[in-house]
Every structure is written in structure tokens, then in C-alpha cells.
Amino acid sequence: LFRSDTEILLKWTYITPNNNNTPIQGLYIYYRPTDSDNDSDYKRDEVEGSQQRHLISHLQPETSYDIKMQCYNEGGESEFSNVMMCETKAKRTPGLSETPVEDRSTPPISRGGVKQTETSSAIARSSDMLYLIVGCVLGVMVLILIVFIAMSQIGRA
């Protein structure tokens, strides 16, 4: 997920349901400012084919948006995905560089055949945490084993 002051880049992967072999022909992306409670405020972008990214542009800086997706094929339209909230950045100051920022405010979209993917840095941090926990547990086990061996040697002497 990449954000700027006026754009949000969405990335996703398609999940094939077990009970439906009809391929997805495209999807609709609906978005509106989060402070709006009116469903008619949703704007709709269409993504045809098997593309797995879309840039929503012409957004307002520092504005939170509700974003939802809906797949379609020859059989009709899927249910809407869960609503994801994402905020555009503050208006850019000339001369400053911009780097991608991950939005972790809402869970991934998983209904309607589409799943939002996380950035590789989030996945790396997640796996780093796993290695840290496993390392700590193994370290404590080795420490207990060393203490046990030392106590056995002292008891024999």
C-alpha cells in the first residue's frame, strides 16, 4: 500500500473460492471520505482483467478514505469486501523526498475473492519477531541445560 498526498496505490491477490470455478473478469473499487455516511458519496473505479494493483488518484491531502472492493464475472458481482480505511499524507513540501508508508489501520480484505497483500517490510518484521521468540526460548532451554549439568557435576563431587 503506497500513499501520497493525493493518491493511494492498492495491491491485492486473487483467492479462488473452492465452490466457484468461474474466473474473475475484474473488480470495482469504491472509495469515499471516511467522514461521509452517505453511500451515494462512494466513487467507483473499475479494474478489468487480472490486474493486481490500482492507483486511486485526485484525492484530498490528509483525508481518511473508506475503500471497499467487489469482484465481478459473467455470473454477476460478489459481495463487497470489508471496508479498509486509509489516509492520504499531508500536502508535500517542495524538495522533500517521499517514501512508501504502510497502512496497518485495518485488517486485510479477504471476502469476495480478493485479498489485500501486505508490504514486504511488514512480512519481514513479522518473521523477524518469530525468529526472536524462537531464539529466546531456545536460549533459555540451553541455559537451563547448562545449569542442570553444572548442578549434576557439583552433586557428584
Side-chain angles (χ1 to χ4, degrees), residues 39-156:
D39 281 345
S40 66
D41 288 342
Y42 273 108
K43 293 181 181 177
R44 183 178 91 171
D45 287 358
E46 183 174 0
V47 180
E48 294 181 358
S50 60
Q51 295 180 42
Q52 296 185 350
R53 62 178 54 204
H54 178 72
L55 183 67
I56 302 173
S57 54
H58 307 293
L59 302 174
Q60 297 299 313
E62 291 186 277
T63 303
S64 180
Y65 286 89
D66 291 342
I67 302 170
K68 62 183 179 179
M69 298 173 148
Q70 182 181 41
C71 294
Y72 65 87
N73 60 19
E74 61 191 37
E77 298 172 345
S78 70
E79 295 180 26
F80 287 108
S81 67
N82 295 328
V83 175
M84 177 182 73
M85 290 174 42
C86 186
E87 186 173 335
T88 52
K89 292 183 175 184
K91 192 165 179 91
R92 282 185 268 173
T93 304
L96 292 181
S97 66
E98 183 176 310
T99 56
V101 175
E102 175 191 358
D103 182 12
R104 306 184 96 214
S105 60
T106 58
I109 296 172
S110 58
R111 286 180 19 195
V114 177
K115 178 181 179 185
Q116 175 192 345
T117 58
E118 296 180 296
T119 62
S120 59
S121 63
I123 294 168
R125 278 183 267 161
S126 163
S127 63
D128 288 348
M129 182 59 79
L130 175 64
Y131 287 122
L132 179 65
I133 292 170
V134 170
C136 288
V137 169
L138 290 175
V140 167
M141 290 175 68
V142 168
L143 184 62
I144 290 172
L145 181 63
I146 291 172
V147 168
F148 178 73
I149 291 172
M151 296 296 280
S152 299
Q153 296 298 326
I154 292 173
R156 289 186 188 170

